[in-house]
Amino acid sequence: DGGITQSPKYLFRKEGQNVTLSCEQNLNHDAMYWYRQDPGQGLRLIYYSQIVNDFQKGDIAEGYSVSREKKESFPLTVTSAQKNPTAFYLCASSPMTGSGADTQYFGPGTRLTVL
Amino acid sequence: DQQVKQNSPSLSVQEGRISILNCDYTNSMFDYFLWYKKYPAEGPTFLISISSIKDKNEDGRFTVFLNKSAKHLSLHIVPSQPGDSAVYFCAAGVDYSGSARQLTFGSGTQLTVLP
Protein backbone atom coordinates (compact mmCIF):
# COMPACT_ATOMS: atom_id res chain seq x y z
CA ASP A 1 0.00 0.00 0.00
CA GLY A 2 1.22 3.50 -0.80
CA GLY A 3 1.62 5.92 2.03
CA ILE A 4 3.77 7.93 4.38
CA THR A 5 5.44 6.41 7.40
CA GLN A 6 6.90 8.24 10.35
CA SER A 7 8.93 6.67 13.09
CA PRO A 8 8.95 6.45 15.96
CA LYS A 9 5.40 7.31 17.04
CA TYR A 10 6.60 8.50 20.45
CA LEU A 11 10.04 9.88 21.18
CA PHE A 12 11.61 11.11 24.39
CA ARG A 13 14.71 13.20 24.49
CA LYS A 14 16.81 14.74 27.19
CA GLU A 15 17.30 18.46 27.06
CA GLY A 16 20.42 19.38 25.09
CA GLN A 17 20.33 16.36 22.80
CA ASN A 18 19.71 16.32 19.07
CA VAL A 19 17.12 13.88 17.76
CA THR A 20 16.18 12.81 14.24
CA LEU A 21 12.63 12.03 13.13
CA SER A 22 12.15 9.73 10.18
CA CYS A 23 9.76 10.24 7.26
CA GLU A 24 9.46 7.89 4.30
CA GLN A 25 6.97 7.92 1.42
CA ASN A 26 6.34 5.46 -1.40
CA LEU A 27 3.84 7.63 -3.26
CA ASN A 28 6.47 8.84 -5.75
CA HIS A 29 5.73 12.41 -4.67
CA ASP A 30 8.25 15.09 -5.51
CA ALA A 31 7.55 17.44 -2.61
CA MET A 32 7.85 16.71 1.09
CA TYR A 33 7.10 18.85 4.12
CA TRP A 34 7.56 18.97 7.87
CA TYR A 35 5.02 20.61 10.15
CA ARG A 36 4.74 21.09 13.87
CA GLN A 37 1.49 21.11 15.81
CA ASP A 38 1.11 22.50 19.32
CA PRO A 39 -2.04 22.14 21.45
CA GLY A 40 -4.86 24.39 20.27
CA GLN A 41 -2.90 25.57 17.27
CA GLY A 42 -2.81 24.83 13.60
CA LEU A 43 0.05 23.21 11.74
CA ARG A 44 3.11 25.36 11.19
CA LEU A 45 5.57 24.69 8.37
CA ILE A 46 9.16 23.94 9.40
CA TYR A 47 10.86 22.94 6.14
CA TYR A 48 9.85 21.72 2.71
CA SER A 49 11.63 20.16 -0.24
CA GLN A 50 10.64 20.12 -3.90
CA ILE A 51 13.43 17.94 -5.19
CA VAL A 52 16.31 15.78 -4.02
CA ASN A 53 19.20 17.73 -2.48
CA ASP A 54 17.13 20.91 -2.24
CA PHE A 55 14.99 22.27 0.60
CA GLN A 56 13.64 25.59 1.85
CA LYS A 57 12.87 27.03 5.26
CA GLY A 58 9.29 27.37 6.33
CA ASP A 59 7.87 29.71 8.93
CA ILE A 60 9.60 28.20 11.98
CA ALA A 61 12.88 26.64 10.77
CA GLU A 62 15.08 27.88 13.61
CA GLY A 63 16.50 24.99 15.65
CA TYR A 64 15.70 22.40 12.98
CA SER A 65 17.62 20.87 10.08
CA VAL A 66 16.65 18.53 7.23
CA SER A 67 18.19 16.57 4.39
CA ARG A 68 16.79 15.14 1.17
CA GLU A 69 19.26 12.63 -0.19
CA LYS A 70 16.57 10.37 -1.63
CA LYS A 71 13.19 11.17 -3.14
CA GLU A 72 11.47 8.86 -0.66
CA SER A 73 13.06 10.19 2.52
CA PHE A 74 13.00 13.53 4.33
CA PRO A 75 14.38 13.23 7.89
CA LEU A 76 14.04 16.10 10.35
CA THR A 77 16.63 16.78 13.06
CA VAL A 78 15.49 18.69 16.11
CA THR A 79 18.63 20.29 17.48
CA SER A 80 19.42 21.45 20.97
CA ALA A 81 19.00 25.00 19.67
CA GLN A 82 15.24 24.52 19.38
CA LYS A 83 13.87 26.23 22.50
CA ASN A 84 10.51 24.48 22.73
CA PRO A 85 10.87 21.13 20.96
CA THR A 86 8.05 19.27 22.70
CA ALA A 87 5.31 18.98 20.06
CA PHE A 88 3.58 16.72 17.57
CA TYR A 89 5.55 16.55 14.31
CA LEU A 90 3.87 15.78 11.02
CA CYS A 91 5.44 14.90 7.70
CA ALA A 92 3.56 15.32 4.43
CA SER A 93 4.15 14.81 0.74
CA SER A 94 2.52 15.98 -2.46
CA PRO A 95 2.93 15.58 -6.18
CA MET A 96 3.97 18.64 -8.15
CA THR A 97 1.77 18.44 -11.19
CA GLY A 98 1.55 22.18 -11.61
CA SER A 99 -2.18 21.78 -12.14
CA GLY A 100 -3.16 23.33 -8.84
CA ALA A 101 -4.36 20.03 -7.43
CA ASP A 102 -1.28 19.32 -5.35
CA THR A 103 -2.96 18.04 -2.23
CA GLN A 104 -0.67 17.27 0.66
CA TYR A 105 -1.00 13.86 2.30
CA PHE A 106 0.13 13.38 5.86
CA GLY A 107 1.87 10.68 7.83
CA PRO A 108 0.67 9.53 11.27
CA GLY A 109 2.99 11.88 13.17
CA THR A 110 5.66 11.64 15.88
CA ARG A 111 5.06 12.93 19.39
CA LEU A 112 8.35 14.33 20.73
CA THR A 113 8.70 15.01 24.43
CA VAL A 114 11.77 16.68 25.87
CA LEU A 115 12.45 15.71 29.47
CA ASP B 1 -0.58 37.61 12.03
CA GLN B 2 -3.01 34.78 11.39
CA GLN B 3 -3.74 34.62 7.70
CA VAL B 4 -6.22 31.76 8.12
CA LYS B 5 -8.66 31.90 11.01
CA GLN B 6 -11.12 29.42 12.41
CA ASN B 7 -12.89 31.45 15.04
CA SER B 8 -14.93 28.63 16.54
CA PRO B 9 -12.72 26.26 18.53
CA SER B 10 -15.59 23.83 18.99
CA LEU B 11 -18.98 22.89 17.56
CA SER B 12 -21.58 20.35 18.68
CA VAL B 13 -24.40 19.06 16.49
CA GLN B 14 -26.94 16.30 16.68
CA GLU B 15 -26.53 13.20 14.54
CA GLY B 16 -28.33 13.58 11.24
CA ARG B 17 -28.26 17.37 11.28
CA ILE B 18 -26.01 19.67 9.28
CA SER B 19 -22.56 20.68 10.53
CA ILE B 20 -21.20 23.99 9.26
CA LEU B 21 -17.57 24.80 9.90
CA ASN B 22 -16.28 28.24 8.99
CA CYS B 23 -12.94 29.65 7.95
CA ASP B 24 -11.81 33.20 7.13
CA TYR B 25 -8.63 34.29 5.41
CA THR B 26 -6.89 37.61 4.92
CA ASN B 27 -4.36 36.94 2.14
CA SER B 28 -6.00 37.73 -1.20
CA MET B 29 -3.24 35.78 -2.97
CA PHE B 30 -4.64 32.47 -1.70
CA ASP B 31 -6.23 30.62 -4.59
CA TYR B 32 -6.57 27.08 -3.32
CA PHE B 33 -8.28 25.90 -0.18
CA LEU B 34 -8.47 22.55 1.56
CA TRP B 35 -10.20 20.95 4.51
CA TYR B 36 -8.52 18.28 6.59
CA LYS B 37 -9.94 16.09 9.33
CA LYS B 38 -7.77 15.00 12.24
CA TYR B 39 -8.19 12.48 15.02
CA PRO B 40 -6.02 12.73 18.17
CA ALA B 41 -2.46 11.45 17.76
CA GLU B 42 -2.95 10.89 14.02
CA GLY B 43 -2.01 12.80 10.90
CA PRO B 44 -4.64 14.94 9.16
CA THR B 45 -6.69 13.29 6.44
CA PHE B 46 -7.57 15.23 3.31
CA LEU B 47 -11.31 15.77 2.91
CA ILE B 48 -12.08 18.18 0.13
CA SER B 49 -10.58 21.14 -1.71
CA ILE B 50 -11.70 24.05 -3.83
CA SER B 51 -9.97 26.32 -6.30
CA SER B 52 -10.64 30.04 -6.33
CA ILE B 53 -12.22 29.74 -9.78
CA LYS B 54 -15.13 27.89 -8.19
CA ASP B 55 -17.57 28.80 -5.47
CA LYS B 56 -18.71 25.30 -4.56
CA ASN B 57 -17.33 21.79 -4.56
CA GLU B 58 -19.20 18.72 -3.45
CA ASP B 59 -18.06 15.22 -2.50
CA GLY B 60 -20.65 12.96 -0.98
CA ARG B 61 -21.75 14.35 2.38
CA PHE B 62 -19.14 17.12 2.24
CA THR B 63 -19.57 20.43 0.46
CA VAL B 64 -17.20 23.37 0.55
CA PHE B 65 -18.40 26.87 -0.29
CA LEU B 66 -16.06 29.74 -1.16
CA ASN B 67 -17.00 33.42 -0.98
CA LYS B 68 -14.00 35.25 -2.40
CA SER B 69 -15.37 38.74 -1.84
CA ALA B 70 -15.83 37.99 1.85
CA LYS B 71 -12.65 35.90 2.04
CA HIS B 72 -14.68 33.18 3.68
CA LEU B 73 -15.13 29.49 3.16
CA SER B 74 -17.26 26.93 4.89
CA LEU B 75 -17.51 23.17 5.08
CA HIS B 76 -20.97 21.61 5.25
CA ILE B 77 -21.43 18.03 6.40
CA VAL B 78 -24.86 16.55 5.75
CA PRO B 79 -25.99 14.41 7.45
CA SER B 80 -23.58 14.50 10.35
CA GLN B 81 -22.51 11.18 11.82
CA PRO B 82 -20.80 10.32 15.14
CA GLY B 83 -17.71 9.21 13.18
CA ASP B 84 -17.35 12.76 11.93
CA SER B 85 -16.32 13.85 15.41
CA ALA B 86 -12.76 15.16 14.97
CA VAL B 87 -10.79 18.36 14.61
CA TYR B 88 -11.27 20.03 11.22
CA PHE B 89 -8.53 22.22 9.79
CA CYS B 90 -8.93 24.72 7.03
CA ALA B 91 -5.82 25.36 4.90
CA ALA B 92 -5.02 27.81 2.13
CA GLY B 93 -2.25 28.12 -0.42
CA VAL B 94 -1.05 29.92 -3.51
CA ASP B 95 -0.66 28.00 -6.74
CA TYR B 96 2.81 28.84 -7.96
CA SER B 97 2.93 26.55 -10.95
CA GLY B 98 5.81 24.11 -10.74
CA SER B 99 6.51 24.91 -7.10
CA ALA B 100 5.70 23.07 -3.93
CA ARG B 101 2.62 24.46 -2.32
CA GLN B 102 3.09 26.05 1.07
CA LEU B 103 -0.10 25.73 3.02
CA THR B 104 -1.22 27.99 5.82
CA PHE B 105 -3.46 26.26 8.35
CA GLY B 106 -6.14 27.55 10.66
CA SER B 107 -6.16 26.58 14.33
CA GLY B 108 -8.88 23.97 13.88
CA THR B 109 -12.46 23.39 15.04
CA GLN B 110 -13.36 20.44 17.23
CA LEU B 111 -16.60 18.95 15.88
CA THR B 112 -18.61 16.72 18.17
CA VAL B 113 -21.57 14.86 16.70
CA LEU B 114 -23.95 13.76 19.42
CA PRO B 115 -25.89 10.50 18.96
Side-chain angles (χ1 to χ4, degrees):
Chain A
D1 281 5
I4 303 173
T5 57
Q6 291 185 243
S7 61
K9 191 166 180 65
Y10 298 97
L11 190 57
F12 296 88
R13 184 195 98 178
K14 290 184 179 178
E15 201 169 329
Q17 291 180 338
N18 292 356
V19 63
T20 298
L21 282 60
S22 167
C23 177
E24 303 278 334
Q25 56 100 359
N26 60 5
L27 300 167
N28 200 32
H29 286 170
D30 290 302
M32 296 187 75
Y33 312 79
W34 273 105
Y35 292 89
R36 166 184 174 139
Q37 186 193 13
D38 294 284
Q41 296 190 34
L43 283 63
R44 293 183 290 167
L45 182 65
I46 303 172
Y47 268 98
Y48 67 101
S49 168
Q50 302 180 88
I51 195 170
V52 173
N53 293 324
D54 184 58
F55 45 83
Q56 283 78 41
K57 293 181 179 180
D59 299 322
I60 55 166
E62 185 175 352
Y64 299 98
S65 66
V66 293
S67 62
R68 187 91 187 273
E69 296 177 2
K70 298 186 300 181
K71 185 176 182 178
E72 304 80 22
S73 179
F74 191 42
L76 173 75
T77 297
V78 184
T79 76
S80 56
Q82 168 50 233
K83 295 178 181 177
N84 297 296
T86 295
F88 189 51
Y89 290 88
L90 288 156
C91 178
S93 70
S94 70
M96 283 177 53
T97 63
S99 69
D102 300 337
T103 299
Q104 292 182 23
Y105 297 90
F106 286 83
T110 292
R111 169 77 58 187
L112 173 65
T113 302
V114 175
L115 305 173
Chain B
D1 177 31
Q2 273 190 297
Q3 297 187 61
V4 177
K5 297 180 183 179
Q6 294 177 256
N7 292 317
S8 298
S10 62
L11 173 69
S12 293
V13 298
Q14 288 293 135
E15 182 178 3
R17 306 295 290 268
I18 183 171
S19 294
I20 300 176
L21 296 99
N22 294 303
C23 180
D24 296 294
Y25 61 96
T26 57
N27 188 342
S28 58
M29 294 289 291
F30 288 146
D31 59 4
Y32 193 64
F33 305 89
L34 309 91
W35 284 95
Y36 285 86
K37 172 182 177 180
K38 186 182 180 301
Y39 294 114
E42 293 185 11
T45 303
F46 169 70
L47 272 178
I48 192 169
S49 63
I50 188 166
S51 165
S52 60
I53 62 173
K54 295 185 175 181
D55 54 19
K56 176 182 174 181
N57 190 25
E58 201 169 346
D59 184 2
R61 296 187 298 114
F62 302 93
T63 303
V64 56
F65 295 92
L66 176 62
N67 182 333
K68 291 186 289 294
S69 60
K71 295 190 176 66
H72 177 83
L73 66 156
S74 60
L75 174 68
H76 292 210
I77 306 174
V78 184
S80 301
Q81 301 173 353
D84 295 329
S85 297
V87 176
Y88 288 78
F89 288 100
C90 166
V94 179
D95 181 15
Y96 295 113
S97 181
S99 298
R101 184 186 301 279
Q102 297 182 60
L103 294 178
T104 300
F105 284 80
S107 55
T109 296
Q110 171 70 58
L111 173 66
T112 302
V113 180
L114 305 168

